[in-house]
Amino acid sequence: MFPSHRPRRLRRTAALRRMVSETTLRPEQMILPMFVKEGLTEPVAVSSMPGVLQHSRDSLRKAAVEAVQAGVGGLMLFGVPEKHDAVGSGATDPDGILNVALRDVHSEVGDSTVIMSDVCLDEFTDHGHCGVLDAHGNVDNDATLEIYAEMAVAQARAGAHVLGPSGMMDGQVGVIRGALDDAGFQDTGILAYSAKYASAFFGPFREAVDSQLKGDRKAYQQDPGNVRESLREVQLDLAEGADMVMVKPALAYLDVIRATAEISDVPVAAYQVSGEYAMIEAAAANGWLDRRRTITEALTSIRRAGADIVLTYWAVEVAGWLREG
Ligand code: PBG
């Protein structure tokens, strides 16, 4: 007559629920992506990402210190240059905005956090693609790799602890690993954007980096319908020496995170991208979702799927909530 099994027993009090909770969310598991724009004297709001700023060099330093004090696991820096050109010269220039910002942040916070940087040309090119173009206007994989190698060494020299190649060029992890080793940066790590999809969820990021892109990235980023292909990408990156692998976006790709976690023998990261941020902020601003509960649930789900580390624009705020308990 009565149920012989009562799972609700373990949900009865907050103490019971806490005791049997399977998934943790801790500040050190979260990485804060940050934007710094050349020539700014004051930070500029990114309208499609309420609460996110394009930093000036000065405000970046301060925000980096605040993030470290909040206890986040690391910072991922993106640079926005004043001038763009066909080959993304600002990316390899030691005085380019991203390299300058890395030196600033490193001198401010040193080894007290993990300083990461984006290895990709899209922020620096006048066509907005992640690599250089060939005579037919296609992204030239191998010519791009040569630039990534130079860009990676410049970032390591500027103080990045971990580099995040995000351009989805074939062989990028191996080429960057080789270049770092040759330049004496054997200890600089690589967080490979291994499974990165040609996603509409990157929309607001385009505003954040003043992207010049017309068209799309379907010839190098993955088809959202594919998962077997992701596992191939992950395996290749592991073979090429990735220290960590990433799936991106996160919430619409929880199955890919799970599948990656099952085959990876290195830590798995997931990137809760700009569109995931914008959706929740917009719904919360309309009073349609409980902001804090929704953010916490989304992050917990990404962790439950198998991500050890989550890149999230809410890292500092959530770290504060976790401290409050
Ligand atoms: C490429 C890069 C992108 C993002 C991170 N690195 C844009 C793209 O691939 O189009 C997107 C991050 C986000 O949407 O929050 N440098």
Side-chain angles (χ1 to χ4, degrees):
M1 214 52 56
F2 294 103
S4 52
H5 298 283
R6 293 186 183 273
R8 283 187 55 190
R9 267 184 212 127
L10 297 181
R11 299 179 200 139
R12 198 161 57 88
T13 68
L16 278 161
R17 291 192 291 272
R18 188 178 59 218
M19 187 182 73
V20 300
S21 168
E22 297 178 36
T23 305
T24 60
L25 191 58
R26 297 198 314 263
E28 61 270 27
Q29 296 161 337
M30 291 182 289
I31 309 294
L32 177 69
M34 305 177 90
F35 304 104
V36 56
K37 181 167 170 176
E38 195 168 30
L40 288 186
T41 49
E42 292 294 323
V44 174
V46 179
S47 65
S48 53
M49 301 176 73
V52 173
L53 301 170
Q54 287 181 326
H55 282 288
S56 66
R57 283 179 63 184
D58 235 29
S59 72
L60 180 76
R61 294 174 91 115
K62 292 193 188 99
V65 170
E66 278 167 25
V68 173
Q69 281 165 354
V72 305
L75 313 171
M76 173 64 82
L77 303 193
F78 295 91
V80 185
E82 262 175 331
K83 292 199 192 74
H84 303 81
D85 62 26
V87 295
S89 309
T92 47
D93 181 351
D95 293 322
I97 182 61
L98 183 50
N99 296 323
V100 168
L102 282 167
R103 287 201 291 275
D104 288 345
V105 169
H106 193 266
S107 75
E108 201 72 52
V109 301
D111 293 341
S112 66
T113 193
V114 183
I115 303 171
M116 308 190 185
S117 55
D118 190 52
V119 183
C120 192
L121 287 177
D122 66 315
E123 291 95 355
F124 297 93
T125 53
D126 55 11
H127 44 72
H129 276 293
C130 294
V132 289
L133 305 182
D134 66 18
H136 309 287
N138 299 316
V139 175
D140 185 332
N141 193 89
D142 298 8
T144 300
L145 292 182
E146 288 178 33
I147 302 179
Y148 284 179
E150 203 184 324
M151 187 178 184
V153 171
Q155 293 180 356
R157 190 165 283 134
H161 297 106
V162 172
L163 307 184
S166 68
M168 291 300 279
M169 294 302 123
D170 292 339
Q172 62 186 9
V173 171
V175 164
I176 289 171
R177 182 72 271 153
L180 291 172
D181 291 352
D182 287 348
F185 294 105
Q186 292 87 348
D187 294 330
T188 304
I190 299 177
L191 166 57
Y193 286 63
S194 301
K196 179 170 175 183
Y197 288 86
S199 174
F201 288 102
F202 303 154
F205 179 92
R206 302 276 150 84
E207 182 195 344
V209 300
D210 299 352
S211 173
Q212 313 290 308
L213 184 70
K214 292 175 199 74
D216 60 55
R217 307 197 194 287
K218 288 180 185 165
Y220 43 105
Q221 298 179 344
Q222 289 178 236
D223 178 344
N226 292 0
V227 62
R228 184 169 49 201
E229 187 183 11
S230 282
L231 299 180
R232 182 171 186 219
E233 288 281 6
V234 167
Q235 274 155 346
L236 287 169
D237 285 354
L238 290 172
E240 289 174 32
D243 298 288
M244 296 175 275
V245 292
M246 196 198 299
V247 174
K248 176 184 177 191
L251 202 57
Y253 296 84
L254 295 181
D255 58 323
V256 182
I257 297 173
R258 165 54 49 198
T260 298
E262 278 166 11
I263 63 162
S264 175
D265 54 4
V266 301
V268 175
Y271 198 143
Q272 182 184 54
V273 299
S274 57
E276 300 177 60
Y277 179 91
M279 282 196 301
I280 294 176
E281 287 292 346
N286 275 292
W288 296 338
L289 285 174
D290 178 323
R291 184 173 175 277
R292 180 164 166 169
R293 283 188 59 200
T294 309
I295 293 168
T296 305
E297 184 174 330
L299 286 167
T300 302
S301 299
I302 294 164
R303 289 265 306 127
R304 188 198 63 238
D308 302 290
I309 300 161
V310 187
L311 283 81
T312 172
Y313 298 99
W314 287 301
V316 171
E317 189 176 4
V318 174
W321 297 344
L322 294 171
R323 268 200 319 277
E324 288 166 21

